[in-house]
Amino acid sequence: MAISQRAREIQTLVQSFHPLIAIETVEEERVQALLQEATQDMGMPLFEWSAPQGLARSPGGHTPWTNDYAPPGTLQTLDEKTKDPLELLRYIQAMSLRAVFWLKDLVQHLDEPVIIRQFREVVQVFSHHRSALILSGNNLELPPEIAADLVYFDLKLPDRDELERITRTTLGVLKMKHRIQIQLQEGEQETLVQTLTGMTLRQAQQVLGFAAFEDGCLDASDIQNILNRKAQVIRSESLLQYFPASSLTVELGGFRGLKQWLDQAKVGFSEAAKSLNLPAPKGILIVGIQGCGKSLAAKAIARFWQMPLLKLEAGRIYDKYVGESEKNFRQALRLAESMAPAILWIDELEKGFSPNKGDGDGGLSQRLFGSFLTWLQEKSQEVFVVATANDISQIPPELLRKGRFDEIFFVDLPEASERASILNIHLKLHRQSAQTLDLEALVQATVGFSGAEIEHAVISGLYRSLYLRKPLDTAVLLEQIKATIPLSVSRREDLALLRSLAKDRFVGVR
Ligand SMILES: Nc1ncnc2c1ncn2[C@@H]1O[C@H](COP(=O)(O)OP(=O)(O)OP(=O)(O)O)[C@@H](O)[C@H]1O
Ligand SMILES: [Mg+2]
């Protein structure tokens, strides 16, 4: 059986004299499977260590991890004294054997000078005979003298092959052991696997199990439940919020220019484009006036292209736990990649990457910005970025430079025809027909209104007419419109400034 791409990457690292490899993850079953696969193929023994278990020989053999995972405590400890980290390192050095040693959570014990020294000596010895230490854990912050010898291996989230395997095994177990009825037609199992992208193997197993045990059966109707559970999992465990394409019903009035651009850019994802070695579209930035549909446009793009939407509120990168921002951000990008083709919507970009943000955060925002730029430049997966922003002056100029985004769009206040279509959309949303209204008068009355302000006038008009116990009419709507002071009046100077900054530099959306 051919070995997997990931196992091959580990092999290459070991064979090319990398004595110290770090894998930042909590998915230990996957690490074990990967290392078993890689070492078995190279004919190298694999050992694993944890503090309670000590050092043990890892079971060999290349079979899917689900059958073969040796849970902690089931392996034969080689020597009780290796439970102590210093003794462990001495023991490994004395073994003088060409092998791979997987040390789980050892990082937490690398805090005493003598242990650090011993560790470095093992690394030096290993660098001569192509043995390797693999460190795994949730947070791999290493002392600088060790970090210098280290290379990170990005485990990424499970790819489709892995998810396919876990689905097959899990369905098998559910059927044979738990008498669950599996009723999936041709092609539905594939859809199921697709639904699981973006989750760890354990999460995938859990959602499959949950869907099955809930009603004793697993069929196509469970796919929607799984999507919903996935949305919950992603929301609680990452910075992202997930909207399946099927959940998006938004309608975007106006934006003709953007819609045309999207129509054309879509061919960039096609097989024909791939066969010509054309890169897939990278992303766009939409800047502009508040309430004019930037966020709505991001959702509309996902709907238009039928791709899952992942929303990252840029300002949130910095909350949660201090010190975890970089990791969380990396994890978010990785998650988006695992769900590709997908749309990554970065809302309020300026709150994450403003040049003025950096003061007093020890360079954190600069580093984050740097890794975002690199990712944007080098990403190979089909993750289309839709960044939205209000305040251009807060966006680092590097991001506005040609080539970072495929296009930068400027959203101004809606013109007459756009106001008409926005009015129509919101009337329809609330079960009203525009036919009984003087649309022309409403369009005239809403000069200078944003989409959000038009929506607000429709809603407050409906409240008013409900209160008056009569159908919504033009007079009630005009009354609401007159009572509104739009931003274009209350913040006239700000808007003029924004326009002057944006008008000639960026493309209009219409
Ligand atoms: N072009 C439009 N078509 C239909 N509805 C619109 C349009 N523009 C705005 N709206 C309405 O206004 C609401 C607010 O718009 P949206 O949140 O997209 O604005 P935004 O530009 O992202 O604003 P902000 O800068 O405050 O984030 C939308 O939910 C929608 O109901
Ligand atoms: Mg918005």
Side-chain angles (χ1 to χ4, degrees):
M1 188 171 157
I3 76 162
S4 67
Q5 173 68 22
R6 320 266 39 227
R8 174 89 53 215
E9 286 164 21
I10 289 276
Q11 284 185 345
T12 311
L13 284 176
V14 173
Q15 283 166 339
S16 58
F17 299 96
H18 289 88
L20 186 54
I21 301 169
I23 309 181
E24 200 169 60
T25 183
V26 288
E27 289 190 273
E28 290 186 344
E29 290 100 324
R30 278 182 79 209
V31 176
Q32 191 183 62
L34 187 71
L35 295 179
Q36 277 176 1
E37 194 184 349
T39 49
Q40 172 84 8
D41 189 68
M42 290 188 289
M44 270 172 100
L46 173 65
F47 295 86
E48 53 182 85
W49 177 89
S50 68
Q53 161 102 60
L55 189 68
R57 178 83 192 250
S58 189
H62 167 221
T63 41
W65 68 269
T66 38
N67 298 330
D68 209 34
Y69 177 58
T74 56
L75 299 179
Q76 188 71 46
T77 302
L78 291 174
D79 187 331
E80 287 296 315
K81 72 175 195 277
T82 59
K83 292 180 177 173
D84 174 71
L86 184 59
E87 289 299 333
L88 161 82
L89 294 165
R90 288 187 180 134
Y91 190 92
I92 292 179
Q93 190 172 3
M95 276 169 90
S96 65
L97 175 72
R98 190 169 172 243
V100 172
F101 296 86
W102 172 30
L103 311 177
K104 300 180 232 178
D105 295 333
L106 180 77
V107 176
Q108 292 165 19
H109 303 273
L110 293 175
D111 52 359
E112 284 177 41
V114 59
I115 299 184
I116 295 177
R117 185 62 234 171
Q118 182 62 53
F119 187 90
R120 292 184 66 195
E121 290 188 6
V122 175
V123 172
Q124 276 170 24
V125 173
F126 276 22
S127 65
H128 291 290
H129 59 69
R130 290 196 289 174
S131 286
L133 295 176
I134 314 278
L135 301 176
S136 75
N138 182 33
N139 211 346
L140 296 178
E141 291 268 348
L142 281 148
E145 53 273 57
I146 289 178
D149 290 313
L150 179 86
V151 49
Y152 277 97
F153 179 83
D154 187 356
L155 188 61
K156 304 212 166 107
L157 279 162
D159 59 19
R160 256 154 250 206
D161 280 352
E162 284 175 277
L163 289 169
E164 213 271 316
R165 227 184 296 161
I166 190 83
T167 305
R168 213 176 335 113
T169 326
T170 308
L171 294 188
V173 172
L174 287 170
K175 191 169 161 182
M176 305 307 289
K177 239 176 142 175
H178 302 285
R179 308 257 165 259
I180 300 285
Q181 287 187 41
I182 312 285
Q183 291 169 342
L184 293 169
Q185 307 294 322
E186 182 88 6
E188 283 171 354
Q189 191 153 328
E190 234 166 79
T191 314
L192 190 63
V193 172
Q194 171 68 27
T195 310
L196 297 171
T197 54
M199 286 193 270
T200 63
L201 289 185
R202 171 121 7 121
Q203 288 165 345
Q205 248 178 339
Q206 284 167 344
V207 298
L208 287 173
F210 191 90
F213 286 116
E214 209 177 20
D215 58 357
C217 161
L218 210 148
D219 57 24
S221 70
D222 283 307
I223 289 177
Q224 190 54 46
N225 297 339
I226 291 177
L227 275 178
N228 295 342
R229 286 190 61 79
K230 171 158 114 173
Q232 283 169 14
V233 168
I234 289 180
R235 193 167 191 149
S236 65
E237 300 197 2
S238 77
L239 288 175
L240 298 173
Q241 193 182 346
Y242 162 59
F243 303 86
S246 56
S247 73
L248 295 167
T249 52
V250 291
E251 283 203 55
L252 179 68
F255 283 74
R256 226 185 49 227
L258 177 70
K259 287 173 183 166
Q260 271 167 8
W261 187 92
L262 293 170
D263 207 21
Q264 171 157 335
K266 195 177 180 195
V267 301
F269 295 104
S270 66
E271 287 305 318
K274 275 179 214 153
S275 72
L276 297 176
N277 291 333
L278 289 171
K282 260 198 303 234
I284 54 174
L285 169 61
I286 308 179
V287 291
I289 294 174
Q290 246 176 47
C292 279
K294 298 182 296 295
S295 297
L296 198 63
K299 291 184 182 165
I301 294 170
R303 183 185 181 195
F304 191 47
W305 282 351
Q306 281 298 299
M307 287 185 189
L309 177 69
L310 293 157
K311 175 182 180 185
L312 171 67
E313 281 169 50
R316 275 193 62 207
I317 301 174
Y318 298 92
D319 41 61
K320 279 219 166 163
Y321 314 101
V322 184
E324 300 247 303
S325 306
E326 281 171 291
K327 194 170 125 212
N328 291 336
F329 185 57
R330 265 203 314 274
Q331 186 210 7
L333 296 180
R334 216 185 276 160
L335 201 153
E337 287 181 338
S338 76
M339 291 178 67
I343 310 272
L344 176 63
W345 163 25
I346 306 185
D347 198 26
E348 306 199 314
L349 181 73
E350 69 272 40
K351 297 212 174 137
F353 305 114
S354 156
N356 306 332
K357 202 166 175 16
D359 311 339
D361 69 359
L364 172 65
S365 53
Q366 280 305 320
R367 284 199 303 281
L368 275 173
F369 179 54
S371 49
F372 175 57
L373 272 188
T374 316
W375 177 80
L376 201 59
Q377 208 71 32
E378 293 173 1
K379 72 190 169 69
S380 51
Q381 263 86 357
E382 292 176 340
V383 177
F384 185 79
V385 176
V386 178
T388 52
N390 286 325
D391 190 348
I392 313 177
S393 65
Q394 292 296 312
I395 299 177
E398 291 95 316
L399 269 180
L400 301 178
R401 216 174 278 151
K402 200 83 200 148
R404 295 288 192 217
F405 289 101
D406 296 321
E407 199 63 87
I408 301 179
F409 289 97
F410 172 61
V411 193
D412 209 331
L413 291 167
E415 292 171 345
S417 64
E418 292 176 303
R419 294 199 298 281
S421 83
I422 296 172
L423 272 163
N424 268 315
I425 288 171
H426 290 284
L427 287 167
K428 202 170 93 196
L429 257 172
H430 300 288
R431 310 211 167 96
Q432 304 298 309
S433 156
Q435 317 241 284
T436 55
L437 301 168
D438 183 350
L439 202 60
E440 189 55 43
L442 296 171
V443 167
Q444 285 309 323
T446 49
V447 173
F449 275 51
S450 67
E453 287 158 348
I454 296 174
E455 178 192 15
H456 182 73
V458 170
I459 289 175
S460 52
L462 276 164
Y463 273 118
R464 182 79 187 146
S465 66
L466 272 181
Y467 173 72
L468 298 174
R469 295 172 193 270
K470 60 175 200 172
L472 183 70
D473 61 18
T474 308
V476 169
L477 279 171
L478 286 174
E479 202 182 299
Q480 303 307 315
I481 291 168
K482 293 228 169 68
T484 309
I485 301 172
L487 283 179
S488 58
V489 174
S490 63
R491 291 187 40 207
R492 191 188 307 272
E493 292 78 17
D494 293 347
L495 295 197
L497 180 68
L498 179 61
R499 272 199 196 111
S500 69
L501 281 173
K503 207 107 206 198
D504 299 323
R505 296 169 67 194
F506 310 136
V507 180
V509 294
R510 50 181 72 105

